[in-house]
Amino acid sequence: MSVIDEVLEANREYSRHFTSGRLPAPPARRLAVVACMDARLVISRMLGLKEGDAHVIRNAGGIVDDDALRSLIISHHLLGTREFMLVHHTDCGMLAFRDDDLRARLWKQTGAAAVAPARFYSFRDLEANLREQMAKLRSHPWIPKSIPVRGFLFDVETGRLREVSEGPGGSASG
Ligand SMILES: [Zn+2]
């Protein structure tokens, strides 16, 4: 049995007890989260979110790229979210390589050059990268200044979130 067959089995069980079939699309708690895709982060469980509570946008690194911006702008302007939260984490895979090395490896492995993705967004410094993503949200002309944008590092060993302040001068308490 493939893993997909296994999870389909789990879904049959899930649907048997499913009671959230009448929820509206706009998130009830008006929260949008951008998080790394890392398998150790189960965002709903980590944040105590239920079906219908929040938008969760995920990619490798929790990067505010074109596509995350697209989702957040729709999330706020069309679906009413009012707070943005970024969740990055310790031991992120994006710390473990460099864009140029991966690009060279793929070129060598496949013999093909590719225009997209233009960047993989690997990074060296967790906090600096998180601040950069917050700054991208802050400065976007279609994201109102009234929206709180807060960034957090999830510790994969303890399960705790620590807030990182927006400025370049260190981290907030938490
Ligand atoms: Zn990660």
Side-chain angles (χ1 to χ4, degrees):
M1 190 157 76
S2 79
V3 175
I4 292 177
D5 290 324
E6 288 171 15
V7 299
L8 286 174
E9 189 64 44
N11 175 256
R12 277 188 281 278
E13 187 58 24
Y14 175 76
S15 68
R16 250 197 292 279
H17 310 284
F18 190 72
T19 54
S20 303
R22 300 212 171 260
L23 295 174
R29 298 176 74 182
R30 298 177 180 249
L31 172 70
V33 181
V34 178
C36 183
M37 69 182 187
D38 192 288
R40 294 166 290 186
L41 279 62
V42 179
I43 301 297
S44 56
R45 234 183 284 165
M46 165 205 303
L47 300 179
L49 297 169
K50 298 194 304 291
E51 287 91 342
D53 274 353
H55 283 146
V56 180
I57 297 143
R58 302 191 69 168
N59 60 36
I63 301 298
V64 176
D65 61 3
D66 246 25
D67 197 61
L69 282 166
R70 178 183 70 85
S71 296
L72 288 170
I73 288 163
I74 290 170
S75 175
H76 170 67
H77 288 282
L78 300 182
L79 291 158
T81 55
R82 293 196 295 218
E83 294 182 56
F84 290 171
M85 181 176 187
L86 286 159
V87 180
H88 293 195
H89 64 98
T90 59
D91 196 38
C92 186
M94 301 292 282
L95 292 160
F97 72 97
R98 287 177 191 274
D99 275 34
D100 286 348
D101 295 338
L102 179 56
R103 192 168 295 285
R105 176 175 136 192
L106 292 170
W107 163 249
K108 202 172 150 194
Q109 213 169 293
T110 65
V115 174
R119 284 185 65 182
F120 289 105
Y121 292 96
S122 62
F123 51 83
R124 303 278 90 193
D125 181 321
L126 271 177
E127 292 197 12
N129 178 63
L130 183 51
R131 285 195 195 95
E132 186 185 340
Q133 307 316 310
M134 284 192 267
K136 285 195 249 177
L137 288 177
R138 277 265 160 261
S139 61
H140 198 282
W142 292 348
I143 295 175
K145 303 295 171 231
S146 57
I147 293 193
V149 174
R150 294 170 66 180
F152 298 84
L153 287 178
F154 177 77
D155 186 326
V156 296
E157 287 179 20
T158 65
R160 283 201 60 158
L161 283 173
R162 176 169 68 82
E163 184 158 16
V164 172
S165 70
E166 219 176 312
S171 51
S173 60

